[in-house]
Amino acid sequence: MKVETSVDLAVRVGGLTLRNPVMPASGTFADGLEKVMDFNRLGAIVTKTITRELRDGNPLPRVVERPGSLINAIGIPSKGVPDFINKTMPHYAPYDTPLVVSISAPTADGFASLARELTLPGIAAIEANISCPNIEEDGKAFAMRAETTEKVTRELRAATKLPLWVKLTPNTGEMPEVAKAAEAAGADAVVVSNTILSMAIDLKTFKPCLGNIMGGLSGPAIKPIVLRHVFQCARAVKIPVIGCGGISNADDAIEYMLAGASAIQVGTATFVQPAAMISVLEGLERFCVVREIPRIADLIGAVDIEESDEPDVAWLNPVT
Amino acid sequence: MKVETSVDLAVRVGGLTLRNPVMPASGTFADGLEKVMDFNRLGAIVTKTITRELRDGNPLPRVVERPGSLINAIGIPSKGVPDFINKTMPHYAPYDTPLVVSISAPTADGFASLARELTLPGIAAIEANISCPNIEEDGKAFAMRAETTEKVTRELRAATKLPLWVKLTPNTGEMPEVAKAAEAAGADAVVVSNTILSMAIDLKTFKPCLGNIMGGLSGPAIKPIVLRHVFQCARAVKIPVIGCGGISNADDAIEYMLAGASAIQVGTATFVQPAAMISVLEGLERFCVVREIPRIADLIGAVDIEESDEPDVAWLNPVT
Amino acid sequence: MSSVSAANTDAHAQGRSAAAPAAEFKPSVVADLTTVIANEPVNAEYRHLVASCSIEAAQAKPGQFFQLLCPHSGSEQPYLRRPMSVYGADPEKRQVSFLYKIAGAGTHGLALLGPGDTLDVMGPLGVGFRLDPAWRHIVAVGRGAGLATLAPLAQAAKQADMKVTAVLSARRPNLVVSDALFRSYGADVVVVTDSESTSGPANVERILRQLIADGRCDAFFTCGSSRLMQVQQKLAREFSLAGQVAMEQQMACGLGLCYCCVRDFNIGGEIVHRRVCWDGPVFDLMEALP
Amino acid sequence: MSSVSAANTDAHAQGRSAAAPAAEFKPSVVADLTTVIANEPVNAEYRHLVASCSIEAAQAKPGQFFQLLCPHSGSEQPYLRRPMSVYGADPEKRQVSFLYKIAGAGTHGLALLGPGDTLDVMGPLGVGFRLDPAWRHIVAVGRGAGLATLAPLAQAAKQADMKVTAVLSARRPNLVVSDALFRSYGADVVVVTDSESTSGPANVERILRQLIADGRCDAFFTCGSSRLMQVQQKLAREFSLAGQVAMEQQMACGLGLCYCCVRDFNIGGEIVHRRVCWDGPVFDLMEALP
Ligand SMILES: Cc1cc2nc3c(=O)[nH]c(=O)nc-3n(C[C@H](O)[C@H](O)[C@H](O)COP(=O)(O)OP(=O)(O)OC[C@H]3O[C@@H](n4cnc5c(N)ncnc54)[C@H](O)[C@@H]3O)c2cc1C
Ligand SMILES: Cc1cc2nc3c(=O)[nH]c(=O)nc-3n(C[C@H](O)[C@H](O)[C@H](O)COP(=O)(O)OP(=O)(O)OC[C@H]3O[C@@H](n4cnc5c(N)ncnc54)[C@H](O)[C@@H]3O)c2cc1C
Ligand SMILES: Cc1cc2nc3c(=O)[nH]c(=O)nc-3n(C[C@H](O)[C@H](O)[C@H](O)COP(=O)(O)O)c2cc1C
Ligand SMILES: Cc1cc2nc3c(=O)[nH]c(=O)nc-3n(C[C@H](O)[C@H](O)[C@H](O)COP(=O)(O)O)c2cc1C
Ligand code: FES
Ligand code: FES
């Protein structure tokens, strides 16, 4: 049931005003969801990451479940740019929801040329998935370090006038520095975050559960970790932070906004409850009504930390 | 029920031969467990981290639960060295189980002098918890970077002849490098790992759920992540890796040993099932009997990865 | 991905609502909180679960499937849904049923459900079997859980009044499922088993050649055995017969979102990936690869 | 930490098994899979759960507690155990019982249990109430869930044949619990409530002073209200009476391992941390801080 309210759900995110803060996480959304929900209710549409090269993706098995989580190593199956422009874009054109294209490339140049080519009417923003291997840095993801993040973001910034969102990896130990580097190089927002590198082994066969040996952990299990990254990044940069990690319901989304997220992305939860994004949206509305919060934007960074609570340096790495 | 078998459960870990690979994780073990289990059945006893300074620990609340996990910010309440020597050590003396003392300090010197003072008969090994803030590096934990790990480990190595275990943090993006640094500086083993920095916010009060604002995530939720770290570290160093993270049952322990762990530590699971260590131990025995594995050490690093499976650089950070 | 869905415009058409305003939007796939009516063992390995459901779910077509949110058995809650073919669907009674084998955590949890319990089923999903009105005789060849997938063909074929011959393969005679259902719709049923060593490809091929010779095989429908599929591909090629196969693959989303369920298919000589959940689970027999 | 446990050598003595070989080792704390006998509401807020348990669990003493592994209510399984005071323990019948208020996820799950269901209770834990044989009259003052904690004192005192006066505080008369149980063991029961505005510190102090004046108060036992505790501390100091208080604190391990349950206490003028689960939950009245 859609709640009729006067709550203002709009949020400003990296150069765009979204009708609400709820959008899909890249790679967990496709036209199949049209059977489940009205895309015009979403704050934005974020497509699966595309690359210039045609890619098949990783060997199977590509997913394995763990309690409250999923490990995936899909890889990035990609049909390339022409297919995206000729088929994907027209498909979403009828919707009046901003279309955000997620892109990836093995080099900074590759990112830039892809962004340039996709700077088109009908594309509302570019999400650069820089959590992918940088072949110029023997496979370390761009987002693992501030320097490489700054370089690729700078080239991206020069290549497009579109709002530029940069998606970070939680596998680094210096996420706030990486977020600062993206901001300095001209990113309009950072997406925090991609999956956490993980592994699972089959006790019957002694083989890795994934064809790729390792994969990315997502789902409820990672929420407390990514929430911390969002909190730290939101305090490190002035540009908006888009929270993404284990959001399954409105309470999760609110926790992220309180920590500093201006908008949120729902990923794996959609696999379990296909209408998850809609129930998150309706739950956010309800929460604001019940708590008499006129604008949902009032929640952004509203976590109540009295200076007295401010922990000493120890909290950077609490000694547990 | 104790399984009577001919399985050889002994493992060699960082200068010690343990009767079996099962031991407690520091900070989740104390004399209270004598009401539950016979400490003579454990592979080793690992004490709560002690510091030279007397410490009260962090403000309350100190723990909050999340699905399949616990976030804690206990801090390190410490009664100091004399209390440890005069009360804790004599208390465990009657057991014929190796006593491992976990230590922490705010400086490399502090670590060294503490290790020197605790190099005593009755102490079987020192576990250096270098996941704690290094005041010489404005609060970044020693184990966040290879250089600081190498420095503190070198000073520790010079300070004690005892087997030296170095406990790493998963909050860094360069754990294999950190493990290599510990090895190069003379560590006899690395413990992988401590908790993952996390956060939780109370939606009623908008306040952080922990007095310390952030805390360390532990329990089943982190197992796939730490398992990956163990796999990567075990391939990076020749010294033994002790696996620690989300182990609740024998299957978890086996998964860790297959990934490369020579022994394992059980932490949070003990809070839910106080006899968890014993059931892990009995389950390990049973598994070896059923699968006709004569020596449990045969499981160490036995994950079956055909060269063909060897992923390209992409697997370092799979693009999901 | 849109090329793929374009290729499926018909199959998935009802899903398209383009920019319809919220007011008008009607989902064609729902996560339906059904109520279990029965959940009984049918033999040593299989159980039959009947649930009363929404009209959307009850309209599932043969070969389509649902994603079941299996209750936890013991402490551990299976995180992902589990795919299950529709075994029966009755729009009048608003019922859907499944025939499942207990394999692991999810199906164990499923087996714990009793009458009155709630079961969250998401669907109907995927592209089902298609019956060409021109066909008079169809042959269904299945094994294991594949028999559950083929079963609803019996009723559909009868309604389209086609004659059905079902070749059902199992390890032992008492592990055969769906035979009664096939018979109840007037199908001829041939049971082949390992224990009687009648289930080998050679014998099945002999049976199928006879059916073709008798002019009682306009199309093959198969599920659950790669070996038997290959026999049918060979015969379909030899006699240029139509055929469809229902494939299995591990799934996460069930809606074509995640690409974990891909398999290789031979589309006009080119080997390409297809998503079993979205492009299938039913595929053209000749495009499928073992 | 060992200083602390040293201070508790008596209380925890039975836990010590030093280097006893496995054969001889007998746990004094077990995670006991009990069977629920009854789990009924006693009023709008509280439920009474009775379970048949092991002999170890049935030997729980007044003021001790168990860590309950609460079943999940809905999808989410509470990860930690939940501390609950022993409300009753009967070694003959091998039963243990709890009186609990439904607060959140864990206690909601608890409320779902029915007769025959299994409940994993770990205990008995902590240091309970101590009765000095010299005492003839004790006074129990409690509020809210604290009444559950004080209740087993009634029987213990009767066995030690001491007279008990119970001052039971609640928001409304119909929310008072344990009064029947106190009366059944011959205790005098005084009920004070907010709705009748008899529960204020001033009135309770009046009542207590009267009891002292009548020579019917050798010791205070209290739980569940910081304000009432302070009243008793004041009177205990004034009349140098003994007293014990049962404290609450969030817990993880319940066995003194994790230090999440610490509170400040005044031990001989020095403010120190004590673990409620291990050094308590029952503490000397004069050492407790509000
Ligand atoms: C389209 C489709 C229709 C199906 N219809 C039926 C049916 O009608 N009756 C029936 O008994 N079974 C059917 N299956 C197989 C059924 O999905 C699996 O038996 C079930 O998922 C096993 O789950 P589990 O937790 O019990 O086993 P586990 O082995 O614990 O499952 C672990 C993971 O592997 C996946 N998995 C395991 N086996 C299979 C399999 N054979 N196919 C796909 N995924 C698998 C599970 O979904 C889960 O993600 C179908 C599968 C597909 C893809
Ligand atoms: C020694 C001891 C004895 C107790 N005896 C009783 C009793 O006999 N009857 C009764 O009704 N209650 C008793 N309590 C309180 C009871 O433990 C809490 O009501 C219960 O833990 C709430 O859990 P929840 O999941 O329902 O609530 P939630 O609020 O969802 O719990 C969230 C977390 O906070 C903790 N928590 C919440 N409230 C309390 C509290 N008051 N004390 C300690 N931890 C809390 C929970 O254990 C859990 O870890 C006792 C507490 C302690 C420490
Ligand atoms: C199956 C799957 C595929 C994904 N593909 C992509 C992708 O193509 N690009 C990307 O940036 N992130 C991808 N992700 C990561 C998600 O966008 C998201 O960052 C992550 O899953 C955490 O959010 P969640 O816990 O809500 O799923 C993928 C995640 C999953 C589970
Ligand atoms: C309550 C608590 C206290 C801890 N205290 C310490 C500590 O003092 N020193 C330390 O090195 N690790 C400490 N840890 C971390 C554990 O030793 C372990 O590394 C971590 O919890 C992961 O293992 P687990 O998932 O099995 O709990 C603590 C963990 C918890 C939950
Ligand atoms: S299961 Fe996700 S695409 Fe098929
Ligand atoms: S609850 Fe762990 S020390 Fe008290």
Side-chain angles (χ1 to χ4, degrees), chain B residues 22-47:
Chain B
V22 181
M23 65 184 92
S26 177
T28 66
F29 179 89
D31 52 354
L33 276 179
E34 284 167 333
K35 293 173 175 272
V36 175
M37 67 182 64
D38 177 2
F39 290 176
N40 283 323
R41 291 188 65 185
L42 300 174
I45 287 171
V46 183
T47 60

PDB file of all heavy atoms in Angstrom, chain B residues 22-47:
ATOM      1  N   VAL B  22      42.631 -26.437  18.422  1.00  0.00           N
ATOM      2  CA  VAL B  22      41.523 -25.614  18.906  1.00  0.00           C
ATOM      3  C   VAL B  22      41.914 -24.797  20.135  1.00  0.00           C
ATOM      4  O   VAL B  22      42.340 -25.348  21.154  1.00  0.00           O
ATOM      5  CB  VAL B  22      40.307 -26.499  19.247  1.00  0.00           C
ATOM      6  CG1 VAL B  22      39.146 -25.633  19.729  1.00  0.00           C
ATOM      7  CG2 VAL B  22      39.898 -27.332  18.044  1.00  0.00           C
ATOM      8  N   MET B  23      41.774 -23.484  20.034  1.00  0.00           N
ATOM      9  CA  MET B  23      42.078 -22.612  21.175  1.00  0.00           C
ATOM     10  C   MET B  23      41.099 -21.445  21.187  1.00  0.00           C
ATOM     11  O   MET B  23      40.427 -21.179  20.193  1.00  0.00           O
ATOM     12  CB  MET B  23      43.522 -22.115  21.073  1.00  0.00           C
ATOM     13  CG  MET B  23      43.785 -21.218  19.894  1.00  0.00           C
ATOM     14  SD  MET B  23      45.524 -20.738  19.736  1.00  0.00           S
ATOM     15  CE  MET B  23      46.127 -22.024  18.642  1.00  0.00           C
ATOM     16  N   PRO B  24      41.000 -20.755  22.338  1.00  0.00           N
ATOM     17  CA  PRO B  24      40.110 -19.607  22.408  1.00  0.00           C
ATOM     18  C   PRO B  24      40.722 -18.390  21.722  1.00  0.00           C
ATOM     19  O   PRO B  24      41.936 -18.293  21.588  1.00  0.00           O
ATOM     20  CB  PRO B  24      39.974 -19.356  23.906  1.00  0.00           C
ATOM     21  CG  PRO B  24      41.226 -19.900  24.509  1.00  0.00           C
ATOM     22  CD  PRO B  24      41.661 -21.042  23.632  1.00  0.00           C
ATOM     23  N   ALA B  25      39.854 -17.476  21.294  1.00  0.00           N
ATOM     24  CA  ALA B  25      40.308 -16.185  20.789  1.00  0.00           C
ATOM     25  C   ALA B  25      40.444 -15.240  21.980  1.00  0.00           C
ATOM     26  O   ALA B  25      39.615 -15.253  22.892  1.00  0.00           O
ATOM     27  CB  ALA B  25      39.302 -15.635  19.784  1.00  0.00           C
ATOM     28  N   SER B  26      41.480 -14.425  21.957  1.00  0.00           N
ATOM     29  CA  SER B  26      41.734 -13.515  23.073  1.00  0.00           C
ATOM     30  C   SER B  26      40.518 -12.630  23.348  1.00  0.00           C
ATOM     31  O   SER B  26      39.877 -12.126  22.416  1.00  0.00           O
ATOM     32  CB  SER B  26      42.941 -12.634  22.750  1.00  0.00           C
ATOM     33  OG  SER B  26      43.144 -11.699  23.794  1.00  0.00           O
ATOM     34  N   GLY B  27      40.213 -12.465  24.620  1.00  0.00           N
ATOM     35  CA  GLY B  27      39.115 -11.592  25.011  1.00  0.00           C
ATOM     36  C   GLY B  27      37.764 -12.276  25.076  1.00  0.00           C
ATOM     37  O   GLY B  27      36.766 -11.664  25.452  1.00  0.00           O
ATOM     38  N   THR B  28      37.749 -13.543  24.710  1.00  0.00           N
ATOM     39  CA  THR B  28      36.490 -14.297  24.794  1.00  0.00           C
ATOM     40  C   THR B  28      36.665 -15.514  25.698  1.00  0.00           C
ATOM     41  O   THR B  28      35.892 -16.467  25.636  1.00  0.00           O
ATOM     42  CB  THR B  28      36.048 -14.779  23.399  1.00  0.00           C
ATOM     43  OG1 THR B  28      37.005 -15.731  22.924  1.00  0.00           O
ATOM     44  CG2 THR B  28      35.969 -13.618  22.432  1.00  0.00           C
ATOM     45  N   PHE B  29      37.702 -15.459  26.524  1.00  0.00           N
ATOM     46  CA  PHE B  29      38.064 -16.593  27.369  1.00  0.00           C
ATOM     47  C   PHE B  29      38.471 -16.081  28.742  1.00  0.00           C
ATOM     48  O   PHE B  29      39.114 -15.049  28.852  1.00  0.00           O
ATOM     49  CB  PHE B  29      39.243 -17.344  26.740  1.00  0.00           C
ATOM     50  CG  PHE B  29      39.716 -18.525  27.537  1.00  0.00           C
ATOM     51  CD1 PHE B  29      39.153 -19.775  27.327  1.00  0.00           C
ATOM     52  CD2 PHE B  29      40.702 -18.381  28.500  1.00  0.00           C
ATOM     53  CE1 PHE B  29      39.588 -20.871  28.066  1.00  0.00           C
ATOM     54  CE2 PHE B  29      41.135 -19.479  29.243  1.00  0.00           C
ATOM     55  CZ  PHE B  29      40.572 -20.718  29.018  1.00  0.00           C
ATOM     56  N   ALA B  30      38.025 -16.787  29.783  1.00  0.00           N
ATOM     57  CA  ALA B  30      38.486 -16.483  31.138  1.00  0.00           C
ATOM     58  C   ALA B  30      38.188 -17.684  32.020  1.00  0.00           C
ATOM     59  O   ALA B  30      37.607 -18.682  31.568  1.00  0.00           O
ATOM     60  CB  ALA B  30      37.803 -15.232  31.680  1.00  0.00           C
ATOM     61  N   ASP B  31      38.571 -17.555  33.303  1.00  0.00           N
ATOM     62  CA  ASP B  31      38.429 -18.701  34.214  1.00  0.00           C
ATOM     63  C   ASP B  31      36.973 -19.151  34.349  1.00  0.00           C
ATOM     64  O   ASP B  31      36.701 -20.291  34.715  1.00  0.00           O
ATOM     65  CB  ASP B  31      39.033 -18.380  35.579  1.00  0.00           C
ATOM     66  CG  ASP B  31      38.479 -17.080  36.137  1.00  0.00           C
ATOM     67  OD1 ASP B  31      37.722 -16.389  35.426  1.00  0.00           O
ATOM     68  OD2 ASP B  31      38.803 -16.742  37.289  1.00  0.00           O
ATOM     69  N   GLY B  32      36.043 -18.262  34.028  1.00  0.00           N
ATOM     70  CA  GLY B  32      34.632 -18.644  34.124  1.00  0.00           C
ATOM     71  C   GLY B  32      34.295 -19.887  33.307  1.00  0.00           C
ATOM     72  O   GLY B  32      33.383 -20.645  33.657  1.00  0.00           O
ATOM     73  N   LEU B  33      35.055 -20.128  32.251  1.00  0.00           N
ATOM     74  CA  LEU B  33      34.766 -21.292  31.405  1.00  0.00           C
ATOM     75  C   LEU B  33      35.131 -22.608  32.086  1.00  0.00           C
ATOM     76  O   LEU B  33      34.778 -23.678  31.601  1.00  0.00           O
ATOM     77  CB  LEU B  33      35.491 -21.179  30.057  1.00  0.00           C
ATOM     78  CG  LEU B  33      34.798 -20.361  28.982  1.00  0.00           C
ATOM     79  CD1 LEU B  33      35.649 -20.311  27.719  1.00  0.00           C
ATOM     80  CD2 LEU B  33      33.409 -20.924  28.656  1.00  0.00           C
ATOM     81  N   GLU B  34      35.828 -22.509  33.236  1.00  0.00           N
ATOM     82  CA  GLU B  34      36.128 -23.749  33.979  1.00  0.00           C
ATOM     83  C   GLU B  34      34.852 -24.428  34.452  1.00  0.00           C
ATOM     84  O   GLU B  34      34.844 -25.627  34.741  1.00  0.00           O
ATOM     85  CB  GLU B  34      37.013 -23.433  35.190  1.00  0.00           C
ATOM     86  CG  GLU B  34      38.453 -23.172  34.813  1.00  0.00           C
ATOM     87  CD  GLU B  34      39.247 -22.554  35.962  1.00  0.00           C
ATOM     88  OE1 GLU B  34      38.636 -21.884  36.817  1.00  0.00           O
ATOM     89  OE2 GLU B  34      40.473 -22.752  35.987  1.00  0.00           O
ATOM     90  N   LYS B  35      33.783 -23.659  34.513  1.00  0.00           N
ATOM     91  CA  LYS B  35      32.501 -24.258  34.912  1.00  0.00           C
ATOM     92  C   LYS B  35      31.918 -25.107  33.788  1.00  0.00           C
ATOM     93  O   LYS B  35      30.992 -25.874  33.997  1.00  0.00           O
ATOM     94  CB  LYS B  35      31.497 -23.158  35.269  1.00  0.00           C
ATOM     95  CG  LYS B  35      31.854 -22.371  36.523  1.00  0.00           C
ATOM     96  CD  LYS B  35      30.902 -21.201  36.687  1.00  0.00           C
ATOM     97  CE  LYS B  35      31.145 -20.458  37.989  1.00  0.00           C
ATOM     98  NZ  LYS B  35      30.380 -21.038  39.107  1.00  0.00           N
ATOM     99  N   VAL B  36      32.470 -24.917  32.577  1.00  0.00           N
ATOM    100  CA  VAL B  36      31.864 -25.522  31.392  1.00  0.00           C
ATOM    101  C   VAL B  36      32.709 -26.635  30.789  1.00  0.00           C
ATOM    102  O   VAL B  36      32.187 -27.635  30.318  1.00  0.00           O
ATOM    103  CB  VAL B  36      31.612 -24.434  30.318  1.00  0.00           C
ATOM    104  CG1 VAL B  36      31.084 -25.042  29.030  1.00  0.00           C
ATOM    105  CG2 VAL B  36      30.672 -23.369  30.859  1.00  0.00           C
ATOM    106  N   MET B  37      34.029 -26.440  30.781  1.00  0.00           N
ATOM    107  CA  MET B  37      34.888 -27.401  30.088  1.00  0.00           C
ATOM    108  C   MET B  37      36.184 -27.639  30.850  1.00  0.00           C
ATOM    109  O   MET B  37      36.562 -26.860  31.720  1.00  0.00           O
ATOM    110  CB  MET B  37      35.227 -26.890  28.691  1.00  0.00           C
ATOM    111  CG  MET B  37      36.097 -25.642  28.696  1.00  0.00           C
ATOM    112  SD  MET B  37      36.422 -25.026  27.044  1.00  0.00           S
ATOM    113  CE  MET B  37      34.781 -24.581  26.519  1.00  0.00           C
ATOM    114  N   ASP B  38      36.853 -28.719  30.462  1.00  0.00           N
ATOM    115  CA  ASP B  38      38.151 -29.061  31.023  1.00  0.00           C
ATOM    116  C   ASP B  38      39.233 -28.424  30.164  1.00  0.00           C
ATOM    117  O   ASP B  38      39.438 -28.824  29.011  1.00  0.00           O
ATOM    118  CB  ASP B  38      38.309 -30.581  31.034  1.00  0.00           C
ATOM    119  CG  ASP B  38      39.675 -31.010  31.545  1.00  0.00           C
ATOM    120  OD1 ASP B  38      40.481 -30.128  31.917  1.00  0.00           O
ATOM    121  OD2 ASP B  38      39.931 -32.229  31.561  1.00  0.00           O
ATOM    122  N   PHE B  39      39.918 -27.430  30.707  1.00  0.00           N
ATOM    123  CA  PHE B  39      40.926 -26.703  29.937  1.00  0.00           C
ATOM    124  C   PHE B  39      42.052 -27.602  29.435  1.00  0.00           C
ATOM    125  O   PHE B  39      42.770 -27.239  28.514  1.00  0.00           O
ATOM    126  CB  PHE B  39      41.501 -25.541  30.760  1.00  0.00           C
ATOM    127  CG  PHE B  39      40.530 -24.414  30.993  1.00  0.00           C
ATOM    128  CD1 PHE B  39      40.892 -23.336  31.794  1.00  0.00           C
ATOM    129  CD2 PHE B  39      39.258 -24.414  30.423  1.00  0.00           C
ATOM    130  CE1 PHE B  39      40.008 -22.277  32.015  1.00  0.00           C
ATOM    131  CE2 PHE B  39      38.369 -23.368  30.635  1.00  0.00           C
ATOM    132  CZ  PHE B  39      38.749 -22.300  31.440  1.00  0.00           C
ATOM    133  N   ASN B  40      42.172 -28.786  30.049  1.00  0.00           N
ATOM    134  CA  ASN B  40      43.218 -29.691  29.569  1.00  0.00           C
ATOM    135  C   ASN B  40      42.885 -30.303  28.218  1.00  0.00           C
ATOM    136  O   ASN B  40      43.721 -30.974  27.614  1.00  0.00           O
ATOM    137  CB  ASN B  40      43.482 -30.802  30.590  1.00  0.00           C
ATOM    138  CG  ASN B  40      44.321 -30.284  31.742  1.00  0.00           C
ATOM    139  OD1 ASN B  40      45.221 -29.458  31.545  1.00  0.00           O
ATOM    140  ND2 ASN B  40      43.999 -30.728  32.929  1.00  0.00           N
ATOM    141  N   ARG B  41      41.676 -30.075  27.745  1.00  0.00           N
ATOM    142  CA  ARG B  41      41.333 -30.606  26.421  1.00  0.00           C
ATOM    143  C   ARG B  41      41.682 -29.617  25.309  1.00  0.00           C
ATOM    144  O   ARG B  41      41.690 -29.981  24.131  1.00  0.00           O
ATOM    145  CB  ARG B  41      39.842 -30.942  26.362  1.00  0.00           C
ATOM    146  CG  ARG B  41      39.482 -32.133  27.243  1.00  0.00           C
ATOM    147  CD  ARG B  41      38.063 -32.575  27.031  1.00  0.00           C
ATOM    148  NE  ARG B  41      37.830 -33.101  25.676  1.00  0.00           N
ATOM    149  CZ  ARG B  41      36.638 -33.467  25.236  1.00  0.00           C
ATOM    150  NH1 ARG B  41      35.563 -33.337  26.016  1.00  0.00           N
ATOM    151  NH2 ARG B  41      36.488 -33.947  24.012  1.00  0.00           N
ATOM    152  N   LEU B  42      41.979 -28.380  25.659  1.00  0.00           N
ATOM    153  CA  LEU B  42      42.241 -27.364  24.643  1.00  0.00           C
ATOM    154  C   LEU B  42      43.648 -27.475  24.076  1.00  0.00           C
ATOM    155  O   LEU B  42      44.559 -27.961  24.744  1.00  0.00           O
ATOM    156  CB  LEU B  42      42.038 -25.969  25.238  1.00  0.00           C
ATOM    157  CG  LEU B  42      40.631 -25.676  25.770  1.00  0.00           C
ATOM    158  CD1 LEU B  42      40.591 -24.321  26.459  1.00  0.00           C
ATOM    159  CD2 LEU B  42      39.614 -25.747  24.641  1.00  0.00           C
ATOM    160  N   GLY B  43      43.816 -27.006  22.849  1.00  0.00           N
ATOM    161  CA  GLY B  43      45.138 -26.984  22.239  1.00  0.00           C
ATOM    162  C   GLY B  43      46.033 -25.945  22.884  1.00  0.00           C
ATOM    163  O   GLY B  43      47.241 -26.122  23.006  1.00  0.00           O
ATOM    164  N   ALA B  44      45.431 -24.847  23.306  1.00  0.00           N
ATOM    165  CA  ALA B  44      46.158 -23.786  23.994  1.00  0.00           C
ATOM    166  C   ALA B  44      45.160 -22.904  24.725  1.00  0.00           C
ATOM    167  O   ALA B  44      43.954 -22.967  24.464  1.00  0.00           O
ATOM    168  CB  ALA B  44      46.981 -22.955  23.006  1.00  0.00           C
ATOM    169  N   ILE B  45      45.671 -22.127  25.672  1.00  0.00           N
ATOM    170  CA  ILE B  45      44.883 -21.117  26.369  1.00  0.00           C
ATOM    171  C   ILE B  45      45.429 -19.763  25.929  1.00  0.00           C
ATOM    172  O   ILE B  45      46.641 -19.548  25.946  1.00  0.00           O
ATOM    173  CB  ILE B  45      45.001 -21.276  27.894  1.00  0.00           C
ATOM    174  CG1 ILE B  45      44.209 -22.500  28.366  1.00  0.00           C
ATOM    175  CG2 ILE B  45      44.539 -20.012  28.618  1.00  0.00           C
ATOM    176  CD1 ILE B  45      44.443 -22.866  29.822  1.00  0.00           C
ATOM    177  N   VAL B  46      44.543 -18.879  25.472  1.00  0.00           N
ATOM    178  CA  VAL B  46      44.961 -17.535  25.064  1.00  0.00           C
ATOM    179  C   VAL B  46      44.226 -16.537  25.958  1.00  0.00           C
ATOM    180  O   VAL B  46      42.995 -16.549  26.016  1.00  0.00           O
ATOM    181  CB  VAL B  46      44.631 -17.265  23.582  1.00  0.00           C
ATOM    182  CG1 VAL B  46      45.140 -15.896  23.161  1.00  0.00           C
ATOM    183  CG2 VAL B  46      45.200 -18.363  22.694  1.00  0.00           C
ATOM    184  N   THR B  47      44.987 -15.714  26.652  1.00  0.00           N
ATOM    185  CA  THR B  47      44.359 -14.812  27.625  1.00  0.00           C
ATOM    186  C   THR B  47      43.890 -13.517  26.953  1.00  0.00           C
ATOM    187  O   THR B  47      44.320 -13.180  25.856  1.00  0.00           O
ATOM    188  CB  THR B  47      45.354 -14.432  28.738  1.00  0.00           C
ATOM    189  OG1 THR B  47      46.485 -13.780  28.134  1.00  0.00           O
ATOM    190  CG2 THR B  47      45.831 -15.668  29.474  1.00  0.00           C
TER     191      THR B  47
END
